[in-house]
Amino acid sequence: MGFGLASYSLLLHLLLVMCAQDSEEDNIIRLPGSNSEIHTDHDHGHLGTTGTEHLHSHQPSHINMMMHHINPSEMRFFTMEDMFVGKTMPVYFRRKEPSNSRLFLPRHKADSIPFSLKELPQLLQYFSISPDSPQAKSMEGTLRQCDNKPITGEVKLCATSLESMLDFNRGVFGLDSAFSVVTTTYFSDSNVSFQNYTILKVPKEILASKMVACHSLPYSYAVFYCHSQKSENKVYKVSLSGDNGDRIEAVAVCHMDTSQWSRNHASFRVLGIEPGTSPVCHFFPADNLIWVDSI
């Protein structure tokens, strides 16, 4: 679906109406796969699934060995040399129940709630969250990440509403430009998060001169970390088959220049490389949104 200036207002209205039909909860907007890792006490105070409790009980022995040394959620990085038919690699894909998805607040509601690390004590009180709870730690981590300054050549926004996300995209792609969204698709309801996947077809590049990646973050309502970099990026769709038969059409992005990345970035631990030495590719889970300009 393309988003152009002329259709922006109409499209936004349609999205609001469609989502309102799915939820009567304060006209909150639900996007597919919005993050569910943190809940308020109203939601019984439980954290959502982290994925480790859904790891396959019959993992190959080498994957079981790897899990003792690294966080399995970091196993989503690879290199461009890995993108060929028949390539098999262990990959972590976060799985979540759609019923547990976080909800976007309407913009007027989101804008009325402070969103800053310095306001954390007041926010915890507002959402009735204990300061010592896992929910509070997740909220602090999200606010800290959103308060961090962008790296050189990057623009970013933590979108707390659908409208703010689309406005950010318009700022990146241009006022009169059209843009489209692509996401990873799971073709089964499997609860397996971590296993070997094999590339089935030649990866298809999605030609785009600009890209915005929006990553869901744990919070009491939907928050997406959206960012775009001036450096070159390549977007691909990759058909995968898991050891258990799971089929996934995954969106992957290859960052051609990582020279400005922190040496502590998880990709360098997984791949054993240094910043700026090689392009880094990674898969996106289904609850992340990749926006590209329509060419």
Side-chain angles (χ1 to χ4, degrees):
M1 178 182 298
F3 293 77
L5 177 61
S7 60
Y8 174 80
S9 297
L10 176 60
L11 175 62
L12 181 56
H13 173 74
L14 290 175
L15 284 172
L16 292 172
V17 171
M18 291 168 60
C19 294
Q21 292 174 348
D22 293 332
S23 174
E24 298 298 329
E25 186 178 343
D26 193 28
N27 292 324
I28 290 176
I29 302 168
R30 181 188 297 270
L31 273 187
S34 297
N35 196 284
S36 62
E37 293 178 0
I38 181 170
H39 297 257
T40 64
D41 289 344
H42 176 71
D43 295 320
H44 311 296
H46 298 301
L47 288 174
T49 59
T50 62
T52 54
E53 62 269 47
H54 291 303
L55 296 175
H56 198 281
S57 59
H58 302 290
Q59 295 289 1
S61 58
H62 70 280
I63 290 187
N64 284 327
M65 292 176 63
M66 291 172 60
M67 287 172 55
H68 293 297
H69 301 287
I70 64 172
N71 185 336
S73 66
E74 295 181 352
M75 297 301 296
R76 61 186 185 277
F77 300 100
F78 59 98
T79 67
M80 295 191 72
E81 288 73 21
D82 293 322
M83 283 200 295
F84 60 87
V85 176
K87 172 67 177 181
T88 297
M89 48 188 161
V91 183
Y92 177 89
F93 281 103
R94 184 169 63 236
R95 303 278 188 151
K96 293 178 181 176
E97 291 292 334
S99 60
N100 291 332
S101 62
R102 289 290 82 197
L103 304 172
F104 258 143
L105 295 176
R107 186 175 207 161
H108 69 88
K109 179 67 173 179
D111 290 348
S112 71
I113 302 173
F115 190 83
S116 172
L117 185 61
K118 65 181 181 180
E119 303 288 347
L120 180 60
Q122 291 80 5
L123 288 167
L124 295 178
Q125 184 176 7
Y126 180 87
F127 290 112
S128 301
I129 295 176
S130 170
D132 298 324
S133 66
Q135 295 95 325
K137 295 185 184 301
S138 293
M139 181 178 286
E140 179 182 1
T142 289
L143 292 172
R144 193 176 299 279
Q145 180 174 352
C146 291
D147 277 359
N148 286 340
K149 293 182 178 180
I151 63 175
T152 302
E154 178 189 43
V155 291
K156 69 168 207 173
L157 170 77
C158 278
T160 57
S161 67
L162 177 61
E163 298 95 325
S164 63
M165 179 187 290
L166 296 179
D167 281 349
F168 178 77
N169 291 345
R170 292 172 65 203
V172 171
F173 296 118
L175 193 63
D176 297 319
S177 298
F179 49 92
S180 305
V181 65
V182 292
T183 61
T184 290
T185 302
Y186 304 148
F187 292 103
S188 67
D189 294 328
S190 170
N191 63 357
V192 177
S193 296
F194 186 50
Q195 62 174 320
N196 280 324
Y197 287 90
T198 301
I199 297 178
L200 299 178
K201 302 177 183 178
V202 175
K204 180 182 179 181
E205 184 175 1
I206 301 173
L207 297 178
S209 62
K210 295 180 181 179
M211 181 199 79
V212 173
C214 291
H215 311 272
S216 61
L217 296 178
Y219 210 68
S220 293
Y221 50 88
V223 172
F224 281 78
Y225 179 92
C226 297
H227 64 129
S228 180
Q229 296 175 329
K230 291 183 179 179
S231 58
E232 182 184 5
N233 301 290
K234 295 181 180 292
V235 185
Y236 295 89
K237 281 191 176 182
V238 186
S239 295
L240 301 171
S241 177
D243 279 350
N244 71 338
D246 280 355
R247 293 286 300 276
I248 296 177
E249 185 177 67
V251 175
V253 171
C254 293
H255 303 277
M256 309 308 290
D257 180 9
T258 63
S259 59
Q260 298 298 319
W261 293 18
S262 167
R263 291 183 178 273
N264 296 323
H265 196 277
S267 63
F268 303 133
R269 291 195 299 272
V270 173
L271 300 176
I273 61 176
E274 295 291 326
T277 59
S278 172
V280 168
C281 306
H282 62 97
F283 292 114
F284 284 80
D287 64 346
N288 283 206
L289 307 175
I290 317 303
W291 300 88
V292 295
D293 53 352
S294 301
I295 298 178

